[in-house]
Amino acid sequence: MKEKNHVIEFLRFFFTIGVVVGHAYCVFYQENNPSYTIQFHTACVDFFFIVSGFFTAKHFYKNEESSNEKKFLKYNLSRIKRLYPLLVIGALEGIVYDGIRLRFQSEAWPTFFFLGGINKFAGWNVIWYISALFWGTLVASALLCWRKKLAVSLYFPLIAFFSLSIMNYWGCCNLFSVPLIGNFFSAGLVRGICGVSFGIEAYYLSIFIGKNLDKFKNGAVAFLSIMFEIAFIILVVYLAVKQNFNDKEFLIYFATAALLIVLNLNQQRIFNCLNRKIWDPFGKISAMIYVTHFYLERGLYKISCIRDLPDIAVYAICVISACVAGVMAYEAEKRAEALLSKAIFNH
């Protein structure tokens, strides 16, 4: 992007809140109110994978190092540095919650090696996303370093095609399905690889379109941009009210990829009203909200007076509490990082 597009920060926050609300339903109502369901958080997670793939491609497109080995190591070390605090905070929250219940999951240790919750490794709730994201981007970065042209033109499209086919055949994108014979690949890992592949293809397609944008008439560009934005909004509304997901959920991959192309070209029309710096702080705390909200909601469920409130009030309390916890965790992470850097520098 020529300049920062703040719409992406808004979308990160929006879909994070979608995850918070979806898990609030799971905690408070899934067992005792089966007349309706909220499954929107499933599609929200797919959005995050696609965005991660998009920015992975952007990184390797704009950062050419002297050797592929150096590029690969530098990128993945930076990923570990960024993802590990999220993983540790989420795991510690799970440990504290288990400790209060006098139940310790010693078998969940693979979480700290980016394995928790995927491929039959035990892990604390929610952290599976970080594990799937780490391994998905690890594979993607290797392909972009050593097989860039072939990967973009062949490997990533095939990966997206086969992963979508697998998820559709074995229960769509449901996290609890096991999409390969022999239980070898978890649905979470397949979803992560699929989303990252879509994001990478979206970025390179936006580069191609950007280089040829002057060949299109301005009216045609504006019309197509509006159509893509409307399609994305309609799909999000459709998925938000669906009570059970089926194979149509895969459309979120295409709709998100199309919207990211529009945003990368700075051609948004409808979403331009959200292109404001005010969303940057919300986008920054989104990851912390994601990793801290689940056990917080379980704690809130223990308070009987909250359980007795109307649904909308329960969701509002969960969202506000998750945002507060996310801000606190984000500030704690920044302070810890500053102290660590200071200690290393002084040493």
Side-chain angles (χ1 to χ4, degrees), residues 189-209:
L189 185 58
V190 174
R191 284 173 64 190
I193 292 175
C194 181
V196 168
S197 298
F198 264 89
I200 290 172
E201 288 299 298
Y203 181 79
Y204 280 99
L205 185 56
S206 72
I207 294 299
F208 174 79
I209 295 173

Side-chain angles (χ1 to χ4, degrees), residues 12-312:
R12 278 179 170 152
F13 181 70
F14 172 80
F15 282 105
T16 301
I17 297 305
V19 175
V20 173
V21 172
H23 283 154
Y25 163 77
C26 295
V27 172
F28 281 86
Y29 302 114
Q30 193 169 38
E31 298 298 328
N32 56 16
N33 197 348
S35 61
Y36 73 101
T37 59
I38 294 178
Q39 296 289 344
F40 181 53
H41 57 292
T42 304
C44 295
V45 175
D46 295 326
F47 170 86
F48 296 131
F49 283 126
I50 298 168
V51 170
S52 294
F54 189 87
F55 282 107
T56 296
K58 180 181 179 181
H59 171 86
F60 284 103
Y61 183 82
K62 295 191 174 183
N63 294 276
E64 295 295 333
E65 302 289 351
S66 57
S67 67
N68 288 327
E69 290 79 5
K70 184 177 180 181
K71 274 195 299 186
F72 180 78
L73 289 174
K74 183 178 180 181
Y75 175 75
N76 286 290
L77 287 174
S78 69
R79 293 287 292 172
I80 292 173
K81 181 181 178 182
R82 192 170 73 85
L83 292 175
Y84 214 75
L86 294 174
L87 183 148
V88 171
I89 288 174
L92 288 177
E93 189 181 25
I95 292 171
V96 170
Y97 181 81
D98 290 340
I100 293 174
R101 300 170 63 211
L102 299 178
R103 178 178 176 272
F104 297 94
Q105 297 187 64
S106 58
E107 70 276 10
W109 63 268
T111 293
F112 294 103
F113 298 91
F114 295 105
L115 292 171
I118 60 172
N119 282 31
K120 294 298 181 179
F121 287 103
W124 287 281
N125 293 78
V126 178
I127 309 302
W128 72 270
Y129 164 76
I130 299 175
S131 300
L133 180 61
F134 173 77
W135 294 108
T137 51
L138 184 74
V139 172
S141 62
L143 290 173
L144 288 172
C145 284
W146 284 283
R147 294 289 186 271
K148 184 176 180 178
K149 291 184 179 179
L150 189 59
V152 173
S153 60
L154 179 63
Y155 293 160
F156 289 121
L158 283 177
I159 289 171
F161 171 76
F162 282 114
S163 55
L164 278 177
S165 300
I166 289 167
M167 289 188 291
N168 184 46
Y169 184 76
W170 289 89
C172 193
C173 301
N174 187 336
L175 179 61
F176 302 104
S177 63
V178 182
L180 281 184
I181 295 175
N183 298 349
F184 186 68
F185 280 136
S186 68
L189 185 58
V190 174
R191 284 173 64 190
I193 292 175
C194 181
V196 168
S197 298
F198 264 89
I200 290 172
E201 288 299 298
Y203 181 79
Y204 280 99
L205 185 56
S206 72
I207 294 299
F208 174 79
I209 295 173
K211 291 179 178 179
N212 296 276
L213 199 60
D214 56 345
K215 297 180 182 178
F216 296 89
K217 294 182 179 180
N218 288 331
V221 173
F223 175 77
L224 289 174
S225 298
I226 292 173
M227 289 298 99
F228 285 135
E229 292 174 82
I230 290 176
F232 180 83
I233 293 171
I234 291 174
L235 181 62
V236 168
V237 173
Y238 167 77
L239 293 177
V241 299
K242 274 184 65 65
Q243 295 189 357
N244 292 288
F245 275 178
N246 53 29
D247 58 342
K248 292 183 178 62
E249 186 199 352
F250 79 92
L251 291 173
I252 191 68
Y253 291 94
F254 294 97
T256 300
L259 181 63
L260 288 175
I261 291 172
V262 171
L263 297 178
N264 196 52
L265 296 172
N266 283 307
Q267 296 296 324
Q268 67 273 7
R269 300 301 195 276
I270 299 173
F271 280 90
N272 200 48
C273 64
L274 299 170
N275 193 9
R276 301 289 184 269
K277 288 185 178 181
I278 189 175
W279 295 112
D280 285 359
F282 294 93
K284 289 178 179 178
I285 66 171
S286 294
M288 283 300 178
I289 294 175
Y290 181 89
V291 298
T292 59
H293 75 277
F294 188 77
Y295 290 102
L296 176 64
E297 290 176 338
R298 285 191 168 186
L300 292 173
Y301 179 76
K302 301 296 183 181
I303 305 174
S304 59
C305 61
I306 294 180
R307 293 201 305 270
D308 296 335
L309 293 173
D311 296 359
I312 188 66

